[in-house]
Amino acid sequence: MKLSGLGWLAVFILAISPAWADEPYAPAAHWQGLGYRAVTHPAAANKATDMPTWAPHSLVWPIQFQDANHTIGNSMAEFQSYGDGPYYHGGLDLRVASGAPVTTPVAGRIEAGHYGYTNHPDGSSDKFWNPWPQGGDRHYFEIAVITDEGFRFEFHHMDETRMADVVLNILKSGVSGRVDAGTVLGRSIPWPDGVYHHTHYNIVSPAGVSLNPEYYSPLLPDTTAPAVSAVIASFANGSTQAFGDGKFDHAPAFFALAVIDHQGTCVYDHPPVLASIHFDSGADFTWDFRERLAKTGGGWPPIWDFFVESIEGPHGQELATEGGYGEGVSVVKVPVPAGAHGAFTLQVGDPAGNLTKFTGQIR
C-alpha cells in the first residue's frame, strides 16, 4: 500500500508517540490510504429519537476504577491538541488497572474494529473505521455495543487478543449478534507508558452527538465546586478588566474564567460542564455540557467559542487554555448578551451540581 508523504508523516507521529496521544488523529487521506472508511451519521438530529430513555445516573460504570484518586482522567469537554489542531476529547478516560475487564451497561448488537479520527478547525472530528478482522494500531481497537434505538456505546483501547469468547464468536459468525447488559466484553490493553491504563468510554447518539457518560452513570463523590483562579472581562475594543468588585461602566463582550475542577480526591484536572451568565432583567447565556456536547438548543459548540485560547489581563498576566491527560487550566468564555445590563450572576459548575458563583452589575 502506497502512502503520500503526509500519510507517512502521520504514521511516523503515531508510531513514536502512542503513549502521549490518547486518540489517534491524522489527516483523512492517511486513514483512507490504510483502507479505513469514514463513519457517517444523519445530517440533523431527530429530537424524537436522539434522546435516551435511560434515567440520569442509572447505568452502571463499565469498569472498576483503579482507586478513588484515579477515576476519570480526561473528560468529555476536555481540551486536547494531539492532531492538526485543538479538539474536544469527546468521551471519558476511565482509569483502570492494567488489563482490566470491561462490561457493557446496555444490551445490543456487537461491532469491533480499529479506528482513527481527523479533526476540523471548530474542534469537531470525523471518525474512520476498519472493522474486525482488518488490522490497525493495537492500542486503538474498539468494541462497541449498539442499542436497538441506535445509541452506540464505544469502548476504546480494548485488547484485540483478549476479547471475551461471546464477542469473538459473534464476530467470527459474520452475523449481527447481541449481548445482554452486564456481559464482559474483554479487557483493556495496557497503556504504553505503564501508568495511564484506561478505557476511553463514548456514548454516541443516532445523530452522532457525543453524550456525556457521567450524566448517565452513577455520580462519583464530589462536594467541591470548580476552582476559579481568575475572571477577566474582555471588551469589544480589545481592552480587558479584572473582575474586581464586579462593577462595570459598560458591558464586556465576554468574561474569561480560568477554571480547574476536581472530582473529590481524583488527581485529574477537568473543565466545567456548565458555564453561564444570568441577568436579573432576564437576559442570559449558558454552556451546558452536562448531558451532551452541544450548544443549548442543539448544534455543535465550536471549540474557540467555549474555550479562550489565551487572553492577557489588564496587568499583563496571560491566561491560556491547556489540556492533556487530565492536566491543565480551562479558560472558559461566557459571552455577555447584547444589550444586557443591571445585576448579574456568573457561574461555573461540575457534573455533581457544585457551583462557583460571582455576582456583579453593568451600569
Side-chain angles (χ1 to χ4, degrees):
M1 183 176 295
K2 186 175 181 180
L3 294 180
S4 66
L6 189 59
W8 280 117
L9 175 61
V11 171
F12 176 72
I13 291 171
L14 290 171
I16 65 172
S17 60
W20 307 112
D22 177 53
E23 296 288 21
Y25 276 78
H30 166 69
W31 303 116
Q32 293 164 344
L34 292 176
Y36 287 48
R37 61 174 175 82
V39 175
T40 58
H41 299 279
N46 180 344
K47 293 187 182 298
T49 60
D50 207 47
M51 292 299 296
T53 57
W54 326 292
H57 313 302
S58 64
L59 300 180
V60 298
W61 288 106
I63 51 79
Q64 180 177 334
F65 289 108
Q66 177 180 323
D67 54 51
N69 298 330
H70 300 84
T71 52
I72 296 173
N74 289 316
S75 60
M76 183 187 70
E78 199 96 21
F79 174 89
Q80 303 272 268
S81 189
Y82 295 124
D84 295 332
Y87 55 91
Y88 294 100
H89 184 244
L92 304 182
D93 282 354
L94 309 182
R95 290 282 281 106
V96 296
S98 178
V102 177
T103 301
T104 175
V106 294
R109 63 182 177 86
I110 286 288
E111 287 187 3
H114 293 88
Y115 64 92
Y117 294 93
T118 185
N119 59 320
H120 303 292
D122 65 356
S124 62
S125 301
D126 293 331
K127 185 178 181 181
F128 290 83
W129 180 252
N130 207 20
W132 187 92
Q134 305 302 315
D137 189 310
R138 66 192 185 95
H139 296 103
Y140 303 114
F141 184 74
E142 169 190 316
I143 298 177
V145 177
I146 301 92
T147 69
D148 293 341
E149 298 80 17
F151 291 90
R152 185 181 180 93
F153 285 68
E154 299 178 344
F155 307 97
H156 291 182
H157 315 313
M158 298 294 288
D159 190 337
E160 184 178 4
T161 68
R162 302 180 72 188
M163 289 188 286
D165 287 344
V166 63
V167 172
L168 187 58
N169 290 338
I170 288 171
L171 296 176
K172 285 181 176 179
S173 73
V175 299
S176 182
R178 292 174 54 84
V179 294
D180 295 328
T183 300
V184 175
L185 302 176
R187 292 183 176 270
S188 64
I189 196 165
W191 205 238
D193 67 357
V195 176
Y196 195 78
H197 307 299
H198 66 287
T199 298
H200 179 111
Y201 179 26
N202 294 332
I203 304 176
V204 183
S205 80
V209 178
S210 293
L211 307 186
N212 191 349
E214 286 188 81
Y215 186 80
Y216 290 106
S217 304
L219 277 174
L220 299 178
D222 184 10
T223 58
T224 305
V228 179
S229 60
V231 181
I232 294 176
S234 178
F235 298 89
N237 64 4
S239 65
T240 59
Q241 178 181 333
F243 192 84
D245 62 3
K247 292 183 169 51
F248 300 90
D249 292 331
H250 56 283
F254 64 86
F255 287 102
L257 298 89
V259 186
I260 292 179
D261 181 49
H262 286 278
Q263 291 175 312
T265 61
C266 184
V267 300
Y268 300 108
D269 303 335
H270 295 155
V273 292
L274 180 71
S276 67
I277 188 168
H278 177 76
F279 286 81
D280 289 355
S281 61
D284 59 26
F285 180 91
T286 300
W287 293 112
D288 188 352
F289 298 153
R290 289 174 295 183
E291 192 270 338
R292 62 182 55 209
L293 189 56
K295 293 189 293 187
T296 301
W300 178 254
I303 195 162
W304 292 132
D305 287 359
F306 178 62
F307 291 114
V308 178
E309 184 171 14
S310 65
I311 187 171
E312 184 175 308
H315 305 298
Q317 76 275 31
E318 183 181 17
L319 302 177
T321 291
E322 303 169 350
Y325 282 76
E327 297 180 355
V329 175
S330 298
V331 184
V332 175
K333 180 188 294 183
V334 180
V336 175
H341 65 279
F344 67 86
T345 300
L346 185 65
Q347 67 179 13
V348 290
D350 64 22
N354 302 303
L355 298 171
T356 299
K357 298 182 179 182
F358 300 86
T359 58
Q361 185 168 25
I362 297 173
R363 297 185 178 92

